[in-house]
Amino acid sequence: MDQFIPGNKKAPDGSAPFGAKKGLWGILISQRLAVWLMGLEIAALLAGSFFMEQSKEVAGAMNGSFPLYLWITGGPLALTWWLWAAILLLALLTINTLCCSIESIKRKKGGLLTLLAPQIIHAGFLLILVAHLASSLGASKLTGQLPQGAAARLPGFDIFMDKVAAGPKKPYAQVELVSGGAILKRGVLSPNHPVFFRGYGIYLQGLTMEPYPAAYIEVSREPGATWAFFGGILFTAGTVLLVLLKTGQE
Amino acid sequence: MNLIWLAWASVPLYLAGLFKRRLLFAGGLAQAAYLLARGVMLGRIPLVGPHDTLIFLAASLAGFSFLFHAAPEREKAFRILIGAMAALFSFFAMLAPPFEGVLPPVLSTYWFELHVGLSFFSYAFFGIGAALGAIYLLRREAALEKSQYRFILSGYLLFSVAMIAGGVWAYLAWGSYWLWTPKELWTSIIWLYYSLYLHLRLRPGWHGKNTALAGAIGFILVLFTYLGVGLLMKSSHTF
């Protein structure tokens, strides 16, 4: 039976701890720093969740039609401080994550898969952060009613509402994306089935048949979506690998 | 045919499971049969509202607990904790009315089912990890802490996949993979907390009592995110 040895200063895998090195690099690669940063990040998000509950109108604007960047830079610090704190901590955690990964690769301890699994997770995490950054700077959302037979103008093309119908199972709307009289794309919008074109997503949010058939549509740009998806895939792949390795080892 | 009696039967079965592990399994089977029957009746996976989800969580706890094998003494304490949690969740599930209405079209997608199903599977793994952590704190046997780690790591994987599925679903439904609401923040808190746990375990001098306790506390955060945030805070997860 394995027993923990009192006073054992080694990690469970028997390695010397990260951060045993001195100086700035020693601090940057330290797991202690990672633990502190994650703990403080949790505290910032915890504060944010209670703030959101107390200032619903202000917090509601975080999911508004403009990028988060405008919300955080335009709002008073008394209302946005927790998000500033969360961003600052995430920035430090990013540096810590990168440095830890570099140090792990330099040390080359253990087998290739043991070395790779945490780095793949770290890469996935960083991609997700890049995604949030891209979306915070460039996301936008427009909503409105588009009657059947009418069109809405977007940069570079128009959305023409061809047909709106309640449908036997779910509502749908047929749209044509046109420019200069030419149809660039035809599509059918329904719940969970948007149409994507030139970086825009066109969504059906509802429809009405009275007093005239019309669809409520949302046009959004989410520049971080692809990054977030691939970040998530990497993160999962790394965690699967870690689970397989640790289940065998521990 | 209304099979609600199967769901009711699971409560005494789980309580009896405190004494006999097979009865714990029987409780899980009764709930699985009930959920299956409800799924057939409704034509969808029954995972909407506290009635369905608490039953799903209790059945998952009972089911996945069979992945843990140990000597009789340790197994007894484990069985008592899992049986008590499953009985409690099942009892509260029976107090909530089952949701039998038509789902909003936005919920009719595999992404939703994957998101919710995997979330509750992960909660069950975290719950089992908490039980093992509590027993470790009493007995201080390294094997228990290692088992806790394995369950939490597996739960972390399921939780991560559930979050990705949720992000894909939100992107296809609302045009954004992330919404700033308390539920999302608490989800991030859980994710960060278990990331913290996994890193803490690498710290010298921290594995053992501290990580066992941290793993057990994590399940309190999970329960608050699941039940507390929904009850106390406005959420994107209210349908």
Side-chain angles (χ1 to χ4, degrees):
Chain A
M1 184 69 60
D2 292 324
Q3 291 291 339
F4 291 117
I5 303 160
N8 181 10
K9 294 293 176 194
K10 288 189 171 180
D13 63 357
S15 64
F18 258 35
K21 289 192 175 184
K22 303 265 182 208
L24 181 64
W25 183 250
I27 294 169
L28 291 176
I29 63 166
S30 86
Q31 280 163 356
R32 180 183 292 206
L33 178 67
V35 165
W36 271 104
L37 290 173
M38 280 188 267
L40 291 170
E41 183 69 29
I42 289 170
L45 296 182
L46 204 90
S49 75
F50 287 104
F51 151 77
M52 278 182 170
E53 194 52 24
Q54 284 177 352
S55 313
K56 286 176 185 164
E57 265 186 37
V58 179
M62 294 178 82
N63 300 310
S65 55
F66 46 82
L68 185 72
Y69 163 74
L70 292 179
W71 182 86
I72 193 170
T73 50
L77 197 61
L79 300 174
T80 57
W81 68 268
W82 64 271
L83 192 54
W84 282 114
I87 291 168
L88 176 69
L89 290 164
L90 280 175
L92 293 173
L93 199 55
T94 299
I95 296 168
N96 177 244
T97 305
L98 279 169
C99 293
C100 275
S101 284
I102 291 167
E103 181 67 16
S104 292
I105 292 165
K106 272 166 63 182
R107 283 190 184 192
K108 287 183 186 165
K109 192 181 168 297
L112 182 66
L113 293 179
T114 311
L115 177 70
L116 277 182
Q119 315 326 321
I120 295 171
I121 296 174
H122 285 173
F125 168 67
L126 294 177
L127 271 187
I128 292 168
L129 289 186
V130 168
H132 274 284
L133 188 65
S135 288
S136 299
L137 294 173
S140 63
K141 206 176 274 184
L142 288 169
T143 52
Q145 191 193 63
L146 192 58
Q148 187 171 293
R153 177 145 294 179
L154 287 177
F157 67 97
D158 294 347
I159 305 170
F160 176 70
M161 187 55 66
D162 189 32
K163 186 184 174 187
V164 173
K169 284 188 175 175
K170 57 183 179 182
Y172 70 91
Q174 271 175 222
V175 291
E176 288 174 355
L177 309 181
V178 296
S179 177
I183 298 173
L184 305 174
K185 186 171 182 175
R186 282 196 177 93
V188 177
L189 307 175
S190 64
N192 295 315
H193 291 92
V195 167
F196 295 106
F197 189 66
R198 289 183 183 168
Y200 290 95
I202 304 157
Y203 296 80
L204 179 68
Q205 300 294 14
L207 56 79
T208 180
M209 302 308 282
E210 300 291 338
Y212 47 80
Y216 296 96
I217 63 164
E218 179 183 299
V219 180
S220 77
R221 281 177 72 91
E222 187 73 281
T226 311
W227 292 99
F229 182 71
F230 285 109
I233 297 288
L234 266 185
F235 193 92
T236 305
T239 314
V240 168
L241 198 55
L242 195 65
V243 168
L244 292 174
L245 289 169
K246 293 291 177 182
T247 309
Q249 277 175 10
E250 293 262 346
Chain B
M1 189 170 70
N2 195 339
L3 295 176
I4 191 96
W5 62 270
L6 269 174
W8 273 113
S10 66
V11 181
L13 280 170
Y14 283 139
L15 289 173
L18 302 179
F19 306 98
K20 200 86 180 165
R21 202 175 185 190
R22 279 182 203 161
L23 294 171
L24 192 68
F25 189 59
L29 272 185
Q31 287 184 323
Y34 171 70
L35 288 175
L36 185 69
R38 253 179 82 66
V40 170
M41 184 187 82
L42 297 169
R44 59 173 167 83
I45 292 184
L47 278 176
V48 180
H51 175 82
D52 289 339
T53 52
L54 277 168
I55 289 179
F56 192 84
L57 176 58
S60 304
L61 261 176
F64 290 129
S65 73
F66 279 79
L67 295 173
F68 175 71
H69 301 284
E73 271 190 22
R74 270 183 269 148
E75 203 166 83
K76 185 182 169 192
F78 179 70
R79 189 181 66 224
I80 288 171
L81 282 176
I82 297 296
M85 280 198 284
L88 193 69
F89 293 147
S90 305
F91 177 72
F92 282 118
M94 301 317 293
L95 300 180
F99 177 79
E100 313 219 318
V102 178
L103 285 185
V106 80
L107 298 188
S108 298
T109 164
Y110 293 123
W111 290 110
F112 164 72
E113 292 171 350
L114 197 64
H115 171 58
V116 183
L118 289 180
S119 293
F120 282 98
F121 280 159
S122 72
Y123 292 178
F125 272 81
F126 291 144
I128 294 167
L132 290 168
I135 302 167
Y136 172 83
L137 291 173
L138 293 173
R139 295 183 181 274
R140 302 292 165 98
E141 290 172 19
L144 285 166
E145 197 270 349
K146 284 183 179 175
S147 291
Q148 180 197 35
Y149 169 69
R150 280 196 209 107
F151 273 100
I152 288 181
L153 184 60
S154 303
Y156 184 75
L157 169 64
L158 293 171
F159 188 73
S160 302
V161 179
M163 292 312 110
I164 293 163
V168 172
W169 170 43
Y171 182 58
L172 294 176
W174 298 290
S176 181
Y177 60 89
W178 175 266
L179 290 170
W180 289 96
T181 72
K183 186 78 172 186
E184 272 78 2
L185 284 193
W186 274 88
T187 299
S188 306
I189 287 170
I190 292 181
W191 189 70
L192 273 166
Y193 183 84
Y194 282 109
S195 303
L196 180 78
Y197 162 86
L198 294 173
H199 283 81
L200 264 185
R201 204 170 174 278
L202 297 170
R203 297 275 310 137
W206 269 84
H207 52 280
K209 188 182 83 177
N210 294 325
T211 47
L213 184 64
I217 290 171
F219 192 54
I220 296 171
L221 292 179
V222 168
L223 288 181
F224 183 76
T225 304
Y226 164 39
L227 297 168
V229 174
L231 289 172
L232 302 173
M233 297 174 170
K234 190 174 181 286
S235 164
S236 61
H237 288 65
T238 308
F239 295 100

